[in-house]
């Protein structure tokens, strides 16, 4: 049986339910009683309902040393056997300009980044075996907001335009992926601090390789993503992510039932991510779960420990970071 505490953060689930209950009046006492009834028997994790980060215990000495490093600026990564697996190169202002991937001690692919005068990323080129393999390009308005995006690589192409309405960004895209064509609309909602807390994507396949013509009236699939954040040392960090795939729940009071809505959410869940951090804002645990028909189909976990200037994951891969 699927347990909320294991795969679905309780607070995030209730956030989803409340979000879809637009215009519905529900007293706090009633919500609490119903929530207890639904969640009874499920184990709880203290960090799920806490607004603070999970602190990596027993690491007082590493905390003091850790403050000397910029944990947002990786330099290179070593496999457990000591071989280099990736390397980062930065400009003097800290902007990433090159990223290299290695296999058997040789560079297999690389990424080159170019910026405009305002520090906005405008071009990202992909190279494989030294040959240009694809690119991404961005354009911005006078407020440094992205207004256009273009991708091209092998048999895939994509172009997007962006418009803004208050705290909402609307992306309209057309994608040509191998022998299929898609039309997408993505609405991203930001909170007062600029965090993308809600993403609603509508994607329709308008042409398969067997189709003679494009079908621009195809019914889109709807994906809704909710994110929650935690503040550590004044910096916002993503805490949880839940992605629902399917038709949104009804918003009218007469069509809404909390029990059926909860079951519907479980059936719609497509992806869940959870993060834990120490007191320096460094991720200590990451879990990813992908669902199929309401049941977990893929579950990946990773844990991270920190030493003098580097991070080690559960597989022994070490990532070294820049010193301040």
């Amino acid at each position: 049986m699927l347990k909320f505490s294991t795969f679905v953060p309780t607070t995030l689930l209730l956030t989803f339910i409340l979000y879809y209950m637009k215009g519905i009046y529900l007293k706090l006492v009633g919500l609490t009683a119903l929530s207890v009834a639904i969640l009874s028997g499920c184990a709880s994790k203290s960090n799920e309902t806490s607004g603070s980060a999970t602190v990596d215990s027993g690491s007082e000495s590493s905390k003091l040393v850790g403050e000397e490093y910029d944990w947002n600026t990786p330099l290179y990564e070593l496999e457990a056997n000591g071989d280099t697996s990736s390397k980062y190169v930065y400009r003097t202002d800290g902007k990433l300009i090159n990223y290299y991937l290695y296999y058997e001690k040789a560079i297999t692919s690389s990424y080159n980044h170019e910026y405009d005068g305002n520090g906005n990323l405008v071009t990202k080129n992909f190279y494989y075996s030294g040959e240009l393999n694809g690119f991404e390009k961005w354009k911005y308005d006078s407020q440094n907001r992205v207004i256009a995006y273009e991708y091209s690589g092998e048999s895939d192409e994509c172009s997007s335009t962006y418009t803004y309405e208050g705290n909402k960004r609307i992306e309209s895209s057309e994608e040509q992926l191998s022998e299929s064509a898609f039309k997408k609309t993505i609405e991203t909602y930001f909170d007062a601090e600029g965090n993308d807390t809600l993403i609603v994507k509508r994607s329709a396949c308008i042409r398969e390789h067997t189709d003679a013509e494009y079908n621009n009236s195809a019914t889109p699939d709807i994906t809704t993503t909710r994110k929650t954040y935690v503040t550590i040392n004044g910096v916002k960090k993503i805490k949880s992510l839940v992605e629902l795939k399917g038709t949104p729940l009804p918003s009218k009071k007469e069509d809404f039932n909390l029990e059926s809505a909860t079951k519907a959410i479980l059936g719609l869940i497509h992806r869940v991510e959870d993060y834990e951090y120490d007191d320096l804002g460094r991720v200590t645990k990451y879990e990813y779960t992908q669902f199929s028909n309401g049941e977990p189909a893929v579950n990946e976990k990773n844990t991270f420990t920190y030493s003098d200037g580097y991070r080690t994951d559960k597989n022994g891969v070490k990532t070294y970071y820049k010193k301040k």
Side-chain angles (χ1 to χ4, degrees), residues 17-85:
I17 294 175
L18 291 173
Y19 170 73
Y20 285 115
M21 291 173 61
K22 293 178 179 177
I24 300 174
Y25 176 76
L26 188 61
K27 293 183 179 180
L28 180 61
V29 174
L31 175 61
T32 303
L34 288 170
S35 300
V36 171
I38 291 175
L39 301 176
S40 60
C42 296
S44 63
K45 293 193 292 186
S46 60
N47 64 302
E48 292 292 345
T49 55
S50 172
S52 60
T54 300
V55 178
D56 189 18
S57 61
S59 57
E60 283 297 325
S61 59
S62 64
K63 291 175 188 175
L64 296 174
V65 173
E67 292 177 345
E68 302 174 5
Y69 294 90
D70 180 357
W71 298 102
N72 296 311
T73 307
L75 298 176
Y76 58 93
E77 187 175 87
L78 300 181
E79 298 288 351
N81 63 3
D83 288 346
T84 300
S85 59

Coordinates of all heavy atoms in Angstrom, one line a residue, residues 17-85:
I17 N -4.7 19.8 -2.8 CA -6.1 19.7 -2.6 C -6.7 21.1 -2.4 O -7.7 21.4 -3.0 CB -6.5 18.8 -1.3 CG1 -6.0 17.3 -1.6 CG2 -7.9 18.8 -1.0 CD1 -6.2 16.4 -0.5
L18 N -6.1 21.9 -1.5 CA -6.6 23.2 -1.3 C -6.5 24.1 -2.5 O -7.4 24.9 -2.8 CB -5.8 23.9 -0.2 CG -6.0 23.2 1.2 CD1 -5.0 23.9 2.2 CD2 -7.4 23.5 1.7
Y19 N -5.5 23.9 -3.3 CA -5.3 24.7 -4.6 C -6.5 24.4 -5.5 O -7.0 25.3 -6.1 CB -4.0 24.3 -5.3 CG -3.9 24.9 -6.6 CD1 -3.7 26.3 -6.8 CD2 -4.1 24.1 -7.8 CE1 -3.7 26.9 -8.1 CE2 -4.0 24.7 -9.0 CZ -3.8 26.0 -9.2 OH -3.7 26.6 -10.4
Y20 N -6.9 23.2 -5.6 CA -8.0 22.8 -6.6 C -9.3 23.2 -6.0 O -10.3 23.1 -6.7 CB -7.9 21.4 -6.9 CG -6.8 21.0 -7.9 CD1 -5.8 20.2 -7.5 CD2 -6.8 21.6 -9.2 CE1 -4.7 20.0 -8.4 CE2 -5.8 21.3 -10.1 CZ -4.8 20.5 -9.7 OH -3.8 20.2 -10.6
M21 N -9.4 23.5 -4.7 CA -10.7 23.9 -4.1 C -10.9 25.4 -4.2 O -11.3 26.0 -3.3 CB -10.7 23.5 -2.7 CG -10.7 22.0 -2.5 SD -10.5 21.5 -0.7 CE -12.0 22.3 0.0
K22 N -10.7 26.0 -5.4 CA -10.9 27.4 -5.6 C -12.4 27.7 -5.4 O -13.3 27.1 -6.0 CB -10.5 27.8 -7.1 CG -9.1 27.6 -7.4 CD -8.8 28.0 -8.8 CE -7.3 27.9 -9.1 NZ -7.0 28.2 -10.5
G23 N -12.6 28.7 -4.5 CA -14.0 29.2 -4.3 C -14.8 28.3 -3.4 O -16.0 28.5 -3.2
I24 N -14.1 27.2 -2.8 CA -14.9 26.3 -1.9 C -14.6 26.7 -0.5 O -13.4 26.7 -0.1 CB -14.4 24.9 -2.2 CG1 -14.7 24.5 -3.6 CG2 -15.1 23.9 -1.3 CD1 -14.2 23.1 -4.0
Y25 N -15.6 26.8 0.3 CA -15.4 27.2 1.7 C -15.4 25.9 2.5 O -16.3 25.1 2.5 CB -16.6 28.1 2.2 CG -16.5 28.4 3.7 CD1 -15.6 29.3 4.1 CD2 -17.3 27.7 4.6 CE1 -15.6 29.6 5.5 CE2 -17.3 28.0 5.9 CZ -16.4 29.0 6.4 OH -16.3 29.2 7.7
L26 N -14.3 25.7 3.2 CA -14.1 24.5 4.1 C -13.5 25.0 5.4 O -12.4 25.5 5.4 CB -13.2 23.5 3.4 CG -13.1 22.2 4.1 CD1 -14.5 21.5 4.2 CD2 -12.1 21.3 3.4
K27 N -14.2 24.8 6.5 CA -13.7 25.2 7.8 C -12.5 24.4 8.2 O -12.3 23.3 7.9 CB -14.8 25.0 8.8 CG -16.0 25.9 8.6 CD -17.0 25.7 9.8 CE -18.2 26.6 9.6 NZ -19.2 26.5 10.6
L28 N -11.6 25.1 9.0 CA -10.4 24.5 9.4 C -10.6 23.2 10.2 O -9.9 22.2 10.0 CB -9.6 25.5 10.2 CG -8.2 25.0 10.7 CD1 -7.3 24.6 9.6 CD2 -7.6 26.1 11.6
V29 N -11.6 23.2 11.0 CA -11.9 22.0 11.9 C -12.3 20.9 11.0 O -11.9 19.7 11.2 CB -13.0 22.3 12.9 CG1 -13.4 21.1 13.6 CG2 -12.6 23.4 13.9
G30 N -13.1 21.1 10.0 CA -13.6 20.1 9.1 C -12.4 19.5 8.3 O -12.3 18.3 8.1
L31 N -11.5 20.4 7.8 CA -10.3 20.0 7.1 C -9.4 19.1 7.9 O -8.9 18.1 7.5 CB -9.6 21.2 6.5 CG -8.3 20.9 5.8 CD1 -8.5 20.0 4.6 CD2 -7.6 22.2 5.4
T32 N -9.2 19.5 9.2 CA -8.4 18.8 10.1 C -8.9 17.4 10.3 O -8.2 16.4 10.3 CB -8.2 19.5 11.4 OG1 -7.7 20.8 11.2 CG2 -7.3 18.8 12.3
A33 N -10.2 17.3 10.6 CA -10.8 16.0 10.8 C -10.7 15.1 9.6 O -10.4 13.9 9.8 CB -12.3 16.2 11.2
L34 N -11.0 15.6 8.5 CA -10.9 14.8 7.3 C -9.5 14.4 6.9 O -9.3 13.3 6.5 CB -11.5 15.6 6.1 CG -13.1 15.7 6.1 CD1 -13.5 16.7 5.0 CD2 -13.7 14.4 5.9
S35 N -8.6 15.3 7.2 CA -7.2 15.0 6.9 C -6.7 13.9 7.8 O -6.0 13.0 7.4 CB -6.3 16.3 7.1 OG -6.7 17.3 6.3
V36 N -7.1 14.0 9.1 CA -6.7 12.9 10.0 C -7.3 11.6 9.6 O -6.6 10.5 9.7 CB -7.1 13.3 11.5 CG1 -6.9 12.1 12.4 CG2 -6.4 14.5 12.0
A37 N -8.5 11.6 9.2 CA -9.1 10.3 8.7 C -8.4 9.7 7.5 O -8.2 8.5 7.5 CB -10.6 10.6 8.4
I38 N -8.0 10.6 6.6 CA -7.4 10.1 5.4 C -5.9 9.6 5.7 O -5.5 8.6 5.2 CB -7.3 11.2 4.3 CG1 -8.7 11.4 3.8 CG2 -6.4 10.8 3.2 CD1 -8.8 12.6 2.8
L39 N -5.3 10.4 6.6 CA -3.9 10.1 6.8 C -3.6 9.2 8.0 O -2.5 8.9 8.3 CB -3.1 11.4 7.0 CG -3.2 12.4 5.9 CD1 -2.5 13.7 6.3 CD2 -2.6 11.8 4.6
S40 N -4.7 8.7 8.7 CA -4.5 7.8 9.8 C -3.8 6.5 9.4 O -4.1 6.0 8.3 CB -5.9 7.5 10.4 OG -6.7 6.8 9.5
G41 N -2.9 6.1 10.3 CA -2.2 4.8 10.0 C -1.0 5.0 9.2 O -0.2 4.1 9.0
C42 N -0.8 6.2 8.7 CA 0.4 6.5 7.9 C 1.6 7.0 8.7 O 1.3 7.9 9.6 CB 0.1 7.5 6.8 SG -1.1 6.9 5.6
A43 N 2.7 6.4 8.6 CA 3.9 6.9 9.4 C 4.2 8.3 9.0 O 3.9 8.8 7.9 CB 5.1 6.0 9.1
S44 N 4.8 9.1 9.9 CA 5.2 10.5 9.6 C 6.6 10.7 9.8 O 7.3 10.0 10.5 CB 4.4 11.4 10.6 OG 4.8 11.2 11.9
K45 N 7.1 11.7 9.0 CA 8.5 12.1 9.1 C 8.6 13.5 9.7 O 7.9 14.4 9.1 CB 9.2 12.0 7.8 CG 9.4 10.6 7.3 CD 10.3 10.5 6.1 CE 9.8 11.2 4.9 NZ 10.6 11.0 3.7
S46 N 9.3 13.8 10.7 CA 9.3 15.1 11.3 C 9.7 16.2 10.3 O 9.2 17.3 10.4 CB 10.3 15.1 12.5 OG 11.6 14.8 12.1
N47 N 10.6 15.9 9.4 CA 11.1 16.9 8.5 C 10.1 17.3 7.4 O 10.2 18.3 6.7 CB 12.4 16.5 7.9 CG 12.3 15.3 7.0 OD1 11.9 14.3 7.4 ND2 12.7 15.5 5.7
E48 N 9.0 16.4 7.2 CA 8.0 16.7 6.2 C 7.2 17.9 6.6 O 6.8 18.7 5.7 CB 7.1 15.5 6.1 CG 7.7 14.3 5.5 CD 8.1 14.4 4.0 OE1 7.7 15.4 3.4 OE2 8.9 13.6 3.5
T49 N 6.9 18.1 7.9 CA 6.1 19.2 8.3 C 6.9 20.4 8.9 O 6.3 21.4 9.2 CB 5.1 18.8 9.3 OG1 5.8 18.2 10.4 CG2 4.1 17.7 8.7
S50 N 8.2 20.2 9.0 CA 9.0 21.3 9.5 C 9.4 22.3 8.5 O 9.6 22.0 7.3 CB 10.3 20.7 10.1 OG 11.2 21.7 10.5
G51 N 9.4 23.6 8.8 CA 9.8 24.6 7.9 C 11.3 24.8 7.8 O 11.7 25.7 7.1
S52 N 12.0 24.1 8.5 CA 13.5 24.3 8.6 C 14.2 23.1 7.8 O 13.6 22.1 7.5 CB 14.0 24.3 10.0 OG 13.7 23.2 10.7
A53 N 15.4 23.3 7.6 CA 16.2 22.3 6.9 C 16.6 21.1 7.8 O 16.6 21.3 9.0 CB 17.5 22.9 6.3
T54 N 16.8 20.0 7.2 CA 17.3 18.8 8.0 C 18.8 19.0 8.2 O 19.6 19.2 7.2 CB 17.1 17.5 7.2 OG1 15.7 17.4 7.1 CG2 17.6 16.4 8.0
V55 N 19.3 19.0 9.4 CA 20.7 19.3 9.7 C 21.5 18.0 9.8 O 21.0 17.0 10.4 CB 20.8 20.0 11.1 CG1 22.3 20.2 11.4 CG2 20.1 21.3 11.1
D56 N 22.6 18.0 9.1 CA 23.4 16.8 9.1 C 24.1 16.7 10.5 O 25.0 17.5 10.7 CB 24.4 16.9 8.0 CG 25.2 15.6 7.7 OD1 24.7 14.6 8.2 OD2 26.2 15.7 7.1
S57 N 23.7 15.8 11.3 CA 24.2 15.7 12.7 C 25.7 15.2 12.7 O 26.2 14.6 11.8 CB 23.3 14.8 13.5 OG 23.4 13.5 12.9
G58 N 26.3 15.6 13.8 CA 27.7 15.2 14.0 C 28.7 15.8 13.0 O 29.7 15.1 12.7
S59 N 28.5 17.0 12.5 CA 29.4 17.5 11.5 C 29.8 18.9 11.9 O 29.9 19.8 11.0 CB 28.7 17.5 10.2 OG 27.5 18.2 10.2
E60 N 30.0 19.2 13.2 CA 30.4 20.6 13.6 C 31.7 21.0 12.9 O 31.8 22.1 12.4 CB 30.5 20.6 15.1 CG 29.2 20.6 15.9 CD 28.4 21.9 15.5 OE1 29.0 23.0 15.3 OE2 27.1 21.8 15.5
S61 N 32.6 20.1 12.9 CA 33.9 20.5 12.3 C 33.8 20.8 10.8 O 34.4 21.7 10.3 CB 35.0 19.5 12.5 OG 34.6 18.2 12.0
S62 N 33.0 20.0 10.1 CA 32.8 20.2 8.6 C 32.1 21.4 8.3 O 32.2 22.0 7.3 CB 32.1 18.9 8.0 OG 30.8 18.8 8.5
K63 N 31.2 21.8 9.3 CA 30.4 23.1 9.1 C 31.4 24.3 9.0 O 31.2 25.1 8.2 CB 29.4 23.2 10.2 CG 28.2 22.2 10.1 CD 27.3 22.4 11.3 CE 26.3 21.3 11.4 NZ 25.5 21.4 12.6
L64 N 32.3 24.3 9.9 CA 33.2 25.4 10.0 C 34.1 25.4 8.7 O 34.3 26.5 8.1 CB 34.1 25.3 11.2 CG 33.4 25.4 12.6 CD1 34.3 25.1 13.7 CD2 32.7 26.8 12.7
V65 N 34.6 24.3 8.3 CA 35.4 24.2 7.1 C 34.6 24.5 5.9 O 35.0 25.2 5.0 CB 36.0 22.8 7.0 CG1 36.7 22.6 5.7 CG2 37.0 22.5 8.1
G66 N 33.3 24.0 5.9 CA 32.4 24.2 4.7 C 32.2 25.6 4.4 O 31.9 26.0 3.2
E67 N 32.2 26.5 5.4 CA 31.9 27.9 5.1 C 33.0 28.6 4.2 O 32.8 29.7 3.7 CB 31.8 28.7 6.4 CG 30.6 28.3 7.2 CD 30.5 29.0 8.6 OE1 31.5 29.5 9.0 OE2 29.4 28.9 9.2
E68 N 34.1 27.9 4.0 CA 35.1 28.5 3.2 C 34.9 28.2 1.7 O 35.7 28.8 0.9 CB 36.5 27.9 3.6 CG 36.8 28.1 5.1 CD 38.1 27.4 5.5 OE1 38.7 26.8 4.6 OE2 38.5 27.3 6.7
Y69 N 33.9 27.5 1.4 CA 33.7 27.1 0.0 C 32.4 27.6 -0.6 O 31.4 27.7 0.2 CB 33.8 25.5 -0.1 CG 35.2 25.0 0.2 CD1 35.5 24.7 1.5 CD2 36.1 24.9 -0.8 CE1 36.8 24.2 1.8 CE2 37.4 24.4 -0.6 CZ 37.7 24.1 0.7 OH 39.0 23.6 1.0
D70 N 32.3 27.8 -1.9 CA 31.1 28.1 -2.6 C 30.5 26.8 -3.1 O 30.9 26.3 -4.1 CB 31.4 29.1 -3.7 CG 30.2 29.5 -4.5 OD1 29.1 29.0 -4.2 OD2 30.3 30.3 -5.4
W71 N 29.5 26.4 -2.4 CA 28.9 25.1 -2.7 C 28.0 25.1 -3.9 O 27.3 24.1 -4.2 CB 28.2 24.5 -1.4 CG 29.2 24.2 -0.3 CD1 29.4 25.0 0.8 CD2 30.1 23.2 -0.2 NE1 30.4 24.5 1.6 CE2 30.8 23.3 1.0 CE3 30.4 22.1 -1.0 CZ2 31.8 22.5 1.4 CZ3 31.4 21.2 -0.6 CH2 32.1 21.4 0.6
N72 N 27.8 26.3 -4.5 CA 27.1 26.4 -5.7 C 28.0 26.4 -7.0 O 27.5 26.6 -8.1 CB 26.2 27.7 -5.7 CG 25.2 27.7 -4.6 OD1 24.4 26.7 -4.5 ND2 25.1 28.7 -3.8
T73 N 29.3 26.3 -6.7 CA 30.2 26.4 -7.9 C 31.1 25.1 -7.9 O 32.2 25.1 -7.4 CB 31.1 27.7 -7.7 OG1 30.2 28.8 -7.6 CG2 32.0 27.8 -9.0
P74 N 30.6 24.1 -8.5 CA 31.5 22.9 -8.7 C 32.6 23.1 -9.6 O 32.5 23.8 -10.6 CB 30.5 21.8 -9.2 CG 29.5 22.6 -9.9 CD 29.3 23.9 -9.2
L75 N 33.8 22.4 -9.4 CA 34.9 22.6 -10.3 C 35.2 21.3 -11.1 O 35.4 21.4 -12.3 CB 36.2 22.8 -9.4 CG 36.2 24.1 -8.6 CD1 37.4 24.2 -7.8 CD2 36.1 25.3 -9.6
Y76 N 35.1 20.1 -10.5 CA 35.3 18.9 -11.2 C 34.7 17.7 -10.4 O 34.5 17.9 -9.2 CB 36.7 18.6 -11.6 CG 37.7 18.6 -10.4 CD1 38.0 17.4 -9.8 CD2 38.3 19.7 -10.0 CE1 38.9 17.3 -8.8 CE2 39.2 19.7 -8.9 CZ 39.5 18.5 -8.3 OH 40.4 18.4 -7.3
E77 N 34.5 16.6 -11.1 CA 33.9 15.5 -10.4 C 34.8 14.2 -10.7 O 35.3 14.0 -11.8 CB 32.5 15.2 -11.0 CG 31.7 14.1 -10.3 CD 30.3 14.1 -10.8 OE1 30.1 13.4 -11.8 OE2 29.4 14.8 -10.3
L78 N 35.0 13.4 -9.6 CA 35.8 12.2 -9.7 C 35.0 11.0 -9.5 O 34.2 11.0 -8.5 CB 37.0 12.2 -8.8 CG 38.0 13.4 -8.9 CD1 39.1 13.2 -7.8 CD2 38.6 13.5 -10.3
E79 N 35.1 10.0 -10.3 CA 34.5 8.7 -10.0 C 35.1 8.0 -8.8 O 36.2 8.5 -8.3 CB 34.6 7.8 -11.2 CG 33.9 8.3 -12.5 CD 32.4 8.3 -12.4 OE1 31.9 7.7 -11.5 OE2 31.8 8.8 -13.3
A80 N 34.5 7.0 -8.3 CA 35.0 6.3 -7.1 C 36.4 5.7 -7.4 O 37.2 5.6 -6.4 CB 34.0 5.1 -6.7
N81 N 36.7 5.4 -8.6 CA 38.1 4.9 -8.9 C 39.1 6.0 -9.1 O 40.3 5.7 -9.4 CB 38.0 4.0 -10.1 CG 37.6 4.7 -11.4 OD1 37.4 5.9 -11.4 ND2 37.5 4.0 -12.5
G82 N 38.7 7.3 -9.0 CA 39.6 8.4 -9.2 C 39.6 9.0 -10.5 O 40.3 10.1 -10.7
D83 N 39.0 8.4 -11.5 CA 38.9 9.0 -12.9 C 38.0 10.3 -12.9 O 37.0 10.3 -12.2 CB 38.4 8.0 -13.9 CG 39.4 6.9 -14.2 OD1 40.6 7.1 -13.8 OD2 39.0 5.9 -14.8
T84 N 38.5 11.3 -13.7 CA 37.6 12.5 -13.8 C 36.4 12.2 -14.7 O 36.6 11.6 -15.8 CB 38.5 13.6 -14.5 OG1 39.6 13.9 -13.7 CG2 37.6 14.8 -14.7
S85 N 35.2 12.6 -14.2 CA 34.0 12.3 -15.0 C 33.5 13.6 -15.6 O 32.8 13.6 -16.6 CB 33.0 11.7 -14.1 OG 32.6 12.5 -13.0

